[in-house]
Amino acid sequence: LEPSGQWDAEYQNDLAMAYLNRGNAYLAVPNVQAAIEDAGRSATLWASLCKAFPANFETAYVTVVALLHDLGEMERFSGVDA
């Protein structure tokens, strides 16, 4: 969706929030794989924005870890201890 990192930080933050929200909607369907992918997209965007929006990156990180833990797939998230 984003044009090659050309959006300013505020728009990138909004896009990351949209991915996280869509991921939560996928959980309700349920489409767990799509939820994991969107949570990962939001975490990736926020990783590049972590200095500007540290609380948002923490939210995405916790969401991704919780999803993978619940699914018993923590190995997908390297460097995280279950």
Side-chain angles (χ1 to χ4, degrees), residues 5-16:
Q6 298 173 9
W7 290 359
D8 66 24
E10 198 65 39
Y11 287 129
Q12 290 180 46
N13 183 60
D14 290 345
L15 179 59

Side-chain angles (χ1 to χ4, degrees):
L1 294 173
E2 181 194 356
S4 304
Q6 298 173 9
W7 290 359
D8 66 24
E10 198 65 39
Y11 287 129
Q12 290 180 46
N13 183 60
D14 290 345
L15 179 59
M17 184 61 75
Y19 278 132
L20 190 59
N21 288 337
R22 187 174 71 176
N24 287 330
Y26 280 138
L27 280 178
V29 173
N31 184 341
V32 175
Q33 184 59 41
I36 291 170
E37 290 169 10
D38 274 358
R41 286 181 184 109
S42 68
T44 299
L45 277 169
W46 278 325
S48 67
L49 300 169
C50 65
K51 289 183 181 177
F53 303 98
N56 290 349
F57 178 68
E58 292 170 11
T59 298
Y61 184 89
V62 168
T63 300
V64 171
V65 170
L67 281 171
L68 296 178
H69 181 268
D70 289 350
L71 295 170
E73 298 190 29
M74 287 299 291
E75 68 276 2
R76 288 189 186 198
F77 207 85
S78 63
V80 175
D81 295 325

